[in-house]
Amino acid sequence: TIEIDTVAPVPVITGLTPGTDTGVSNTDGITNLTSVMLYGTNVAHTGLQIQIDDGTPANLFNDDTAWGFSPSSLSEGAHTATVIGYDSAGNESAPVTYHFTIDLTAPTNTPVIVGLSNDTDSGIKGDLFTNNPKFTLVGTAHAHQTVVIGLFLDQSSEIGRTVADQNGDWSFTLPENLSADGNYEFLAGVMDDAGNPGINTAATFVTLDTTPPAAPTVTLDPTRDRKSTRLNSSHLVISY
């Protein structure tokens, strides 16, 4: 029996594996790793030729439909992976390409924590005192940058991220209420799409004060004439 096969396998490049696609997204093909893993699918029991840029092609054989390939350490910059599927009958697919970028350069700018949003900055605006336990920090960075917010307790730890708008303005609302009154130290840093961190801001201290002042007491001034039946403000002593 002679089997005639004229159909070439059609490979798929899914991209970089989530573990080697670093940064704000694990599917955008931007990473700060020089050793990456590409993966995809192909027809089982067929071959795959893969080439990175103008390098020497490598050949893989698929026992099943999944494949993975880790090229040698790559340089910073844009790269192109090209794969061609082939089978035992000699059929070859059209080339399939995937573009990815290795970015090792950290941002050079430092974001700014301007203060609290107007609606969560109670009392005197701009004094970094508030009675709102779930306030919103506002600040500036470069347009569309990812801003990482840290809270220093025993040590600095990330509590969330936000993205600056087209004007570079950003805001970040605490994910949960602060548990107690006191002074809280916040830091902000930027991170590029590949996950390279920039320089953190200097610490910004915000004071949470939810305790009202003690009620005042009103007494008569003992030096005044107690026989008088008419009182004015000069007869009263208000203390806290």
Side-chain angles (χ1 to χ4, degrees):
T1 301
I2 298 176
E3 180 179 348
I4 299 176
D5 177 8
T6 61
V7 179
V10 180
V12 173
I13 306 176
T14 304
L16 302 180
T17 59
T20 61
D21 191 338
T22 61
V24 297
S25 169
N26 61 9
T27 60
D28 62 0
I30 303 175
T31 182
N32 61 12
L33 299 178
T34 57
S35 296
V36 299
M37 172 73 77
L38 292 151
Y39 75 114
T41 58
N42 195 21
V43 177
H45 309 299
T46 61
L48 186 76
Q49 183 184 85
I50 183 166
Q51 183 179 19
I52 307 297
D53 302 324
D54 296 323
T56 302
N59 288 280
L60 307 175
F61 184 79
N62 294 92
D63 287 326
D64 55 28
T65 59
W67 62 267
F69 176 72
S70 183
S72 300
S73 184
L74 299 172
S75 61
E76 183 172 16
H79 297 277
T80 300
T82 303
V83 299
I84 297 173
Y86 59 89
D87 59 20
S88 57
N91 300 303
E92 289 190 355
S93 71
V96 177
T97 59
Y98 174 75
H99 305 284
F100 62 99
T101 299
I102 295 175
D103 177 8
L104 307 177
T105 304
T108 57
N109 66 300
T110 302
V112 175
I113 300 177
V114 174
L116 305 180
S117 65
N118 284 333
D119 60 327
T120 62
D121 188 356
S122 62
I124 301 173
K125 302 300 182 184
D127 64 355
L128 296 178
F129 280 72
T130 183
N131 62 12
N132 189 327
K134 193 178 180 182
F135 51 80
T136 298
L137 296 167
V138 296
T140 59
H142 286 178
H144 309 299
Q145 272 189 323
T146 297
V147 180
V148 181
I149 306 299
L151 173 60
F152 191 91
L153 296 173
D154 293 329
Q155 59 184 6
S156 182
S157 59
E158 179 183 332
I159 59 172
R161 300 177 182 181
T162 187
V163 178
D165 65 18
Q166 61 186 8
N167 298 316
D169 298 319
W170 57 265
S171 64
F172 176 80
T173 301
L174 299 186
E176 57 186 16
N177 289 353
L178 294 175
S179 60
D181 286 2
N183 297 321
Y184 291 88
E185 181 180 354
F186 291 91
L187 303 172
V190 292
M191 182 177 69
D192 64 18
D193 289 343
N196 299 303
I199 301 171
N200 289 339
T201 62
T204 295
F205 291 89
V206 179
T207 299
L208 175 65
D209 180 4
T210 62
T211 305
T217 59
V218 180
T219 60
L220 290 176
D221 186 344
T223 64
R224 297 290 180 173
D225 184 2
R226 295 192 178 190
K227 295 181 180 180
S228 175
T229 59
R230 299 180 61 186
L231 296 176
N232 57 44
S233 60
S234 65
H235 292 76
L236 301 179
V237 177
I238 301 175
S239 58
Y240 295 87

